[in-house]
Amino acid sequence: MKVLLQNPILPPYRLAFFQSLSKAPGIDLHLAYGQSQRGSALESIQEPEHLQVHPLRNLYIGGIPPRMTLQPKFPNVIRAVRPDVVIAGYDPRFLTNILGYFTARRLGIKWIWWGHGIRPRDRYHFIYKKMADMADAVILYGSSAKEKLSLLGVQNDKLFSALNSIDTTEIDEYYSSIPFDQRNRLLYIGRLIPKKKVDMLIRAFAEAFPSLPRETILTIIGTGPTKVKLQSLCVDFGLQRNVEFTGSLYTQEELSKYINHSFLSVSPGYIGLSAIHSLAYGVPILVADNEPHSPEIEILEKEVNGLYFESNSTVDLARHLTELSNDKVRLSKMGAMGRAIAYERFSVEAMVRSFQKTLDYVLK
């Protein structure tokens, strides 16, 4: 079957999944996507290997991240490719996807939405329900989003879950089982934007630092508009030697040099794919308990592979950092469980199987 998959951009973490899906038996995969927003911390791969690509021009409206993304030529790509099925972003902020939907329907093409679904604190439930009713199927990142749509009255058998994946095969090449008592890094992976609350992590680290092992380093992987302010905050606390900013790292070869030496991954704001990434390396996660987390939060099992701390509480975060940094045996056990769960439920292979199951349903 010929499948056209639309995405705003092609981020590096998604490449392995698209390449695996394109190799799945009976699937002729075409990708339509554009380039990153100027000033965004997210990169878009321009010339991916072994993929059929149809470039789109992105128009961004609003700040960073944008309030709306338009791809005016997307309906043209649908007419040119003439796929059997279109898989498009399940987000009402992509207005041109609605135009693409009506173009596909006129041509007798099947339609699948793919995305987070109804996010925490999202008020437009009726729009998501209407979009789901229009489509032949909906693929969601997690089971909680599926349950929300089902409760709204969306036909349950056309709702599917494809848990957001990580390339565990490549991670295996760079993973190193360094004993936790030899690890000295606290880890943050993500964009440096206000909603991620990295400033609170730095404040908590400064508060906990006198009680931490002397060699402890806070490693911040990522970039974004708050980077300069965060670096200045480290100077104010006298932590220049104990906080490192690596910038954005996209390859496992680069990332593994830091993650393999980390004993805990911390998310002071909402968490996304970094939860899967950290646990796939056997690094337990510490997450704020009341944030609009992405569906990847479903991987966290309290006291099994991670813990929660009280949202917006520097004091509670500092307390957890102190306790956990001095209990490497406990962290080692949680890390081992987290790695097992990530490999079982959040691999690229598992995600491909979910897409194949959805495509089979739609075409039958």
Side-chain angles (χ1 to χ4, degrees), residues 2-302:
K2 186 183 289 187
V3 178
L4 174 62
L5 198 156
Q6 174 271 345
N7 231 37
I9 64 172
L10 174 50
Y13 65 79
R14 191 64 76 204
L15 180 60
F17 165 67
F18 288 147
Q19 289 175 332
S20 295
L21 184 62
S22 70
K23 296 174 184 176
I27 293 180
D28 176 18
L29 182 66
H30 294 249
L31 288 179
Y33 67 91
Q35 293 307 307
S36 301
Q37 184 181 19
R38 183 176 297 177
S40 170
L42 292 174
E43 174 189 340
S44 185
I45 299 174
Q46 296 190 25
E47 298 180 1
E49 295 182 355
H50 312 302
L51 289 173
Q52 300 178 83
V53 171
H54 303 269
L56 292 170
R57 181 181 174 225
N58 287 350
L59 300 178
Y60 295 104
I61 299 174
I64 301 176
R67 294 182 179 179
M68 192 173 296
T69 302
L70 306 179
Q71 295 176 323
K73 299 297 184 181
F74 179 43
N76 294 355
V77 174
I78 294 174
R79 284 188 284 264
V81 176
R82 294 289 178 116
D84 300 297
V85 184
V86 173
I87 303 175
Y90 184 36
D91 190 330
R93 298 168 187 83
F94 300 154
L95 285 182
T96 42
N97 284 3
I98 301 298
L99 297 177
Y101 169 85
F102 288 110
T103 299
R105 285 313 201 202
R106 284 193 294 269
L107 296 171
I109 297 169
K110 299 289 187 179
W111 192 272
I112 298 172
W113 294 119
W114 171 39
H116 289 84
I118 300 172
R119 297 171 183 262
R121 305 176 188 175
D122 203 324
R123 295 171 294 175
Y124 305 108
H125 293 194
F126 70 97
I127 299 179
Y128 284 96
K129 181 185 184 306
K130 180 64 176 176
M131 291 173 67
D133 289 338
M134 291 162 55
D136 297 290
V138 182
I139 302 173
L140 300 152
Y141 284 167
S143 58
S144 60
K146 181 178 174 181
E147 290 169 7
K148 288 178 183 177
L149 287 176
S150 184
L151 288 172
L152 288 174
V154 177
Q155 184 181 327
N156 192 60
D157 65 352
K158 72 180 195 179
L159 301 177
F160 296 83
S161 293
L163 299 171
N164 218 353
S165 68
I166 200 79
D167 188 359
T168 51
T169 302
E170 186 179 11
I171 285 176
D172 268 344
E173 297 179 22
Y174 295 98
Y175 168 73
S176 179
S177 56
I178 297 172
F180 269 64
D181 60 4
Q182 296 177 22
R183 301 186 181 201
N184 67 325
R185 282 187 167 87
L186 283 164
L187 183 67
Y188 169 82
I189 306 176
R191 289 177 290 166
L192 305 185
I193 57 176
K195 289 183 179 180
K196 290 289 191 174
K197 303 182 181 180
V198 184
D199 59 327
M200 187 177 76
L201 173 57
I202 292 173
R203 295 178 192 278
F205 180 65
E207 186 174 324
F209 189 72
S211 303
L212 303 180
R214 291 292 86 193
E215 67 277 9
T216 304
I217 294 173
L218 172 58
T219 299
I220 297 173
I221 298 177
T223 191
T226 64
K227 181 177 180 179
V228 174
K229 289 184 178 180
L230 295 173
Q231 289 175 321
S232 177
L233 187 61
C234 293
V235 173
D236 293 343
F237 284 117
L239 293 172
Q240 305 95 305
R241 294 184 179 181
N242 292 88
V243 181
E244 59 183 0
F245 293 81
T246 70
S248 295
L249 304 176
Y250 294 112
T251 69
Q252 297 303 331
E253 182 178 9
E254 295 173 313
L255 286 162
S256 62
K257 295 174 184 177
Y258 300 95
I259 303 180
N260 280 329
H261 290 271
S262 298
F263 57 84
L264 182 66
S265 181
V266 186
S267 182
Y270 71 90
I271 198 167
L273 192 60
S274 64
I276 316 299
H277 212 149
S278 299
L279 290 170
Y281 272 95
V283 179
I285 54 179
L286 176 62
V287 181
D289 64 359
N290 186 25
E291 294 288 338
H293 296 299
S294 294
E296 291 84 0
I297 191 64
E298 291 184 17
I299 196 173
L300 197 161
E301 297 181 22
K302 187 177 178 181

Side-chain angles (χ1 to χ4, degrees), residues 297-315:
I297 191 64
E298 291 184 17
I299 196 173
L300 197 161
E301 297 181 22
K302 187 177 178 181
E303 295 288 352
V304 175
N305 57 13
L307 291 166
Y308 289 101
F309 71 92
E310 183 182 344
S311 291
N312 299 314
S313 173
T314 303
V315 172

